[in-house]
DNA sequence: GAGCACTGC
């Protein structure tokens, strides 16, 4: 293809950004979106096969394209935007692009990395001292103010600062950054109570919470226009730092804190801790006050403390588990992982731990080469554990229910937080939810998801909308479940069609079997043991045994673990065995998304692991 | 008997 016929790709870490940038640029360029300028993200491809010259896409999408065409031949130029955010996917793409350039597989490819100035050096060095261009951004000045005494209680300090800002500052909305929803709910509650009692010569404050687990409806409140003499006080998590932009904000109050999930590969669990933000993050938060006019940021920490903040946050590739990235690299025929062109090396231990997990999932063989199962896993748009679950479900003949459950698991914030600190409403919602999952109450959260999903499928949309509202389920989330479900069904059929490890007639036979499994008309009662055993194949190490003292201990290491309060099985102390999809350490070790298992199922799925357990299960 | 920030295919 001649160079000038090739496309220009611009990657974005978030889907909405890809879509809205394409809309803006096509308008400025004067074309219909999807013609010369288009975008491609999961579930929507707004491009033209011949016309599109400039394509906005998510970095995950570009990585998919890399798997199909390792040379990215259809592009003349790749522009990586927001590279400073250092998502795992942007990091990986950068490593591949470097390989393409260094190995001279592509001599005509231009790569442009766009980043905040702060870490331009890092990218320049990585691409063999590539030249750096500086582009001034348009931004109004933002004055910063710091505390003069260190604060004791962040919620209390936040509330007092809001009141003071409201009393002494000109009109303009206030955006407050807090670490988590607990702090936000507390602040909203107190400020709502105080609002009517504040001095009458100041605007009336309208406190509004903003975090991911609120329903789209509740989130939309922050965009509503208020009557005169009111002032929005938005209390938000990091969601307002990059994902959601609110107009009208003139003042930012920054707690200087955020919550970070860090994966501990030595322990096989993640921790969720409140930690100080970075200087880069503090700047980004402050910038939210200067988008439309000059603004102010009130930082709830000492200036000295700011100076001690790290320059930037630890990158994702350092703090996340890298099981999927390692599988992706293996799929792309990278053998020497330790010496690959990592933008930032995740460390030998993390790599070995990921390899180990992939080996036990069956994705790699004894010599570390990717297996045919591993190929299938790498193609599915799921974490490797869930890919194993799907492939096992196909063998067990329970693909239909398992796809539905996995689709539910793939959608974030499907089950919303009841929100606020209203205990009565919460208990009532929990009670109502239980009415819809009689089997889930017994077998746990995975089966409950299937029961909810069945109800969603069986009723008409007006009813389901009301049902979702009443039970605090996300209607939009369930709509997304449908999209994922559809995609997974297609992928599973494609997986069989492309499986060259068996003969033609075997493949045809399996294909018929799979299609039969997916035929909704054929579905009878769900075979719960088989469904849960499919999950066990992917999560065999995530099991805990019920001990005589009514506690649970993890099966492989003997650690104490509790059932998370959000689980249907919360409070149950007499289960033989619990399987959890995630092990998080906050106040203590919690298993999240739990299912009740029989010891016999463990024995059946992983007899070899049973012998290696650190705890004795003879007496239970 | 107590609580999860965000993003991607």
């Amino acid at each position: 293809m001649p160079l000038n016929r090739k496309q220009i790709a611009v990657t974005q870490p978030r889907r909405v950004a890809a879509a809205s940038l394409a809309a803006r640029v096509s308008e400025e360029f004067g074309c219909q979106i999807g013609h010369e300028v288009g975008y491609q993200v999961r579930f929507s491809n707004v491009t033209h096969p011949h016309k599109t010259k400039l394509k906005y896409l998510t970095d995950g999408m570009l990585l998919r394209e890399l798997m199909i065409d390792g040379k990215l031949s259809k592009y003349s130029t790749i522009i990586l935007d927001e590279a400073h955010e250092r998502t795992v996917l942007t990091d990986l793409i950068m490593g591949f692009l470097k390989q393409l350039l260094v190995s001279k597989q592509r001599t005509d490819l231009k790569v442009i990395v766009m980043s905040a100035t702060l870490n331009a050096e890092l990218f320049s060095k990585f691409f063999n001292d590539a030249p750096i261009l500086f582009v001034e951004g348009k931004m109004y000045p933002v004055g910063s103010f710091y505390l003069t005494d260190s604060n004791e209680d962040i919620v209390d300090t936040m509330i007092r600062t809001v009141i003071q800002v409201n009393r002494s500052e000109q009109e303009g909305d206030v955006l407050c950054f807090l670490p988590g929803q607990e702090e936000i709910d507390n602040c909203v509650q107190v400020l709502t109570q105080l609002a009517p009692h504040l001095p009458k010569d100041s605007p009336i404050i309208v406190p509004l919470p903003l975090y991911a687990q609120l329903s789209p409806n509740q989130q939309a409140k922050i965009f509503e226009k208020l009557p005169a003499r009111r002032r929005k006080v938005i209390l938000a998590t990091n969601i307002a730092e990059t994902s959601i932009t609110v107009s009208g904000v003139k003042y930012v109050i920054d707690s200087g804190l955020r919550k970070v999930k860090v994966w501990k590969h030595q322990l096989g669990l993640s921790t969720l801790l409140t930690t100080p933000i970075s200087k880069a993050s503090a700047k980004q938060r402050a910038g939210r006050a200067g988008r439309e006019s000059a603004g102010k940021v009130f930082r709830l920490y000492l200036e000295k403390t700011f100076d001690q903040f790290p320059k930037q946050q630890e990158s994702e590739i350092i703090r996340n588990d890298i099981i999927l990235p390692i599988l992706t690299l293996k799929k792309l025929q990278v053998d020497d992982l330790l010496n690959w062109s990592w933008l930032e090396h995740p460390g030998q231990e993390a790599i070995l731990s990921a390899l180990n997990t992939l080996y036990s999932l069956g994705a790699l063989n004894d010599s570390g080469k990717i297996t045919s199962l591993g190929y299938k896993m790498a193609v599915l748009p799921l974490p490797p554990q869930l890919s194993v679950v799907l492939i096992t479900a196909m063998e067990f003949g329970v693909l239909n229910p398992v796809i539905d459950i996995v689709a539910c698991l793939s959608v974030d914030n499907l089950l919303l937080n009841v929100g606020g600190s209203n205990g009565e409403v919460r208990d009532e919602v929990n009670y109502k939810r239980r009415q819809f999952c009689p089997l889930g109450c017994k077998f746990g959260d995975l089966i409950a998801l299937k029961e909810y999903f069945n109800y969603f499928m069986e009723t008409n949309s007006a009813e389901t909308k009301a049902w979702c509202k009443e039970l605090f389920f996300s209607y939009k989330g369930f709509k997304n479940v449908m999209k994922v479900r559809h995609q997974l069904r297609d992928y599973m059929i494609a997986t069989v069609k492309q499986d060259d490890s068996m003969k033609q007639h075997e493949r045809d036979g399996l294909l018929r079997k799979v299609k039969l499994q997916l035929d909704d008309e054929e579905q009878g009662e769900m075979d719960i043991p088989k469904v849960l055993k499919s999950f066990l194949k992917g999560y065999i190490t995530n099991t805990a045994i019920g001990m005589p003292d009514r506690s649970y201990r993890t099966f492989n290491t003997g650690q104490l673990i509790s059932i998370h309060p959000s689980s249907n099985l919360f409070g149950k102390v007499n289960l033989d065995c619990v399987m959890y999809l995630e092990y998080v350490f906050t106040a203590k070790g919690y298993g999240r998304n739990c299912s009740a298992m029989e010891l016999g199922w463990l024995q059946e799925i992983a007899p070899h692991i049973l012998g290696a357990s650190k705890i004795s299960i003879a007496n239970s």
Side-chain angles (χ1 to χ4, degrees), chain A residues 568-620:
Chain A
N568 276 310
L569 299 180
F570 179 68
K572 297 214 175 188
V573 290
N574 49 0
L575 302 167
D576 287 340
C577 175
V578 178
M579 171 183 69
Y580 43 93
L581 298 199
E582 205 188 353
Y583 183 9
V584 286
F585 199 94
T586 51
K588 56 181 180 177
Y590 285 107
R592 303 195 71 222
N593 213 319
C594 300
S595 295
M597 309 298 281
E598 284 177 21
L599 286 171
W601 300 347
L602 258 76
Q603 211 135 21
E604 190 184 323
I605 295 296
H608 53 287
I609 288 194
L610 217 53
S613 172
K614 293 227 169 80
I615 55 174
S616 159
I617 55 169
N619 57 353
S620 45

Side-chain angles (χ1 to χ4, degrees), chain A residues 71-103:
Chain A
K71 288 189 187 167
L72 294 172
S73 347
K74 65 177 172 185
Y75 299 110
S76 64
T77 308
I78 309 275
I79 302 177
L80 301 172
D81 200 0
E82 311 281 5
H84 58 274
E85 286 189 24
R86 299 289 314 279
T87 68
V88 175
L89 297 171
T90 342
D91 271 25
L92 285 182
I93 289 169
M94 249 182 276
F96 279 110
L97 291 177
K98 184 174 181 180
Q99 292 275 304
L100 276 183
L101 298 174
V102 169
S103 66

Side-chain angles (χ1 to χ4, degrees), chain A residues 402 443 446-447 527-537 579 595-597 601:
Chain A
V402 171
F443 293 99
L446 295 172
I447 301 298
D527 187 334
I528 291 175
K530 276 191 180 156
V531 167
L532 292 180
K533 275 190 268 183
S534 303
F535 276 92
L536 206 43
K537 263 285 211 238
M579 171 183 69
S595 295
M597 309 298 281
W601 300 347

